[in-house]
Amino acid sequence: MRKEFIVFQFIRHPKDFWSGVMFMFFGLAAVVIGQDYPMGTAGRMGPAYFPIVLGGLLSLIGLATTLRALWLRGEAIQRFSVRDLALILFAVFLFGLLVRNAGIVAAVAALVMVSAYASDKFHFRASLILSVGAILFCVLVFVKALGLPLPVFGPWLAWLGR
């Protein structure tokens, strides 16, 4: 038995345990950050109301998930891949870089294709179909329905929009 896991023998479901800890961390961070703003009431909400209430609910979900991990058995945490993490972070960075200059079509396509490539189960055809679906969804919902000022084809690809 390895030394580093002796301390954590009471954890029966490591994935749920660490997910719960992460939920509690982000929930409590929202509550702490929200303390700097006026709370208001349920009828007249202040700027702190929404983040504090959601942060509190997220913390409770995290607590329940963490406690559940102490009773129920589950699978162990698998390998941690730095390559996959780097690809997903790069995909998000690429989205942010492309969304204004190349448009939402190119940004969503890059996000889906690069982050899908991080999977062991990557298939180009399936990722391409998912990419087209995500592009249609984002254009219809965010640009057309909600009217967000996002270019479908940005200045770099303006010739495609003609």
Side-chain angles (χ1 to χ4, degrees):
M1 186 176 297
R2 297 188 332 207
K3 285 183 180 178
E4 63 264 20
F5 294 112
I6 291 174
V7 177
F8 297 114
Q9 282 182 342
F10 61 93
I11 301 171
R12 302 180 102 191
H13 197 310
K15 281 186 176 182
D16 276 359
F17 180 81
W18 293 111
S19 295
V21 168
M22 183 182 65
F23 286 169
M24 285 190 293
F25 173 78
F26 285 112
L28 292 174
V31 170
V32 169
I33 291 169
Q35 297 295 316
D36 294 338
Y37 302 105
M39 182 71 165
T41 63
R44 190 162 172 85
M45 297 176 196
Y49 194 88
F50 192 68
I52 287 177
V53 169
L54 283 183
L57 290 173
L58 187 61
S59 296
L60 289 174
I61 290 170
L63 179 64
T65 304
T66 303
L67 292 175
R68 184 178 154 225
L70 302 177
W71 282 286
L72 300 177
R73 284 226 175 265
E75 63 183 272
I77 297 174
Q78 303 298 317
R79 68 177 176 85
F80 181 77
S81 175
V82 174
R83 175 194 164 268
D84 297 345
L85 178 64
L87 276 170
I88 292 170
L89 288 174
F90 176 69
V92 173
F93 172 78
L94 195 58
F95 176 86
L97 180 72
L98 292 175
V99 74
R100 289 195 184 227
N101 296 316
I104 196 166
V105 170
V108 170
L111 175 73
V112 171
M113 295 303 288
V114 173
S115 60
Y117 187 69
S119 173
D120 294 334
K121 300 173 183 138
F122 174 77
H123 294 290
F124 183 78
R125 184 170 181 250
S127 298
L128 194 59
I129 292 168
L130 178 63
S131 181
V132 169
I135 289 167
L136 289 173
F137 176 81
C138 288
V139 168
L140 291 174
V141 171
F142 298 118
V143 177
K144 301 298 181 193
L146 295 175
L148 294 179
L150 295 170
V152 175
F153 297 104
W156 293 352
L157 302 174
W159 54 274
L160 289 173
R162 292 184 205 162

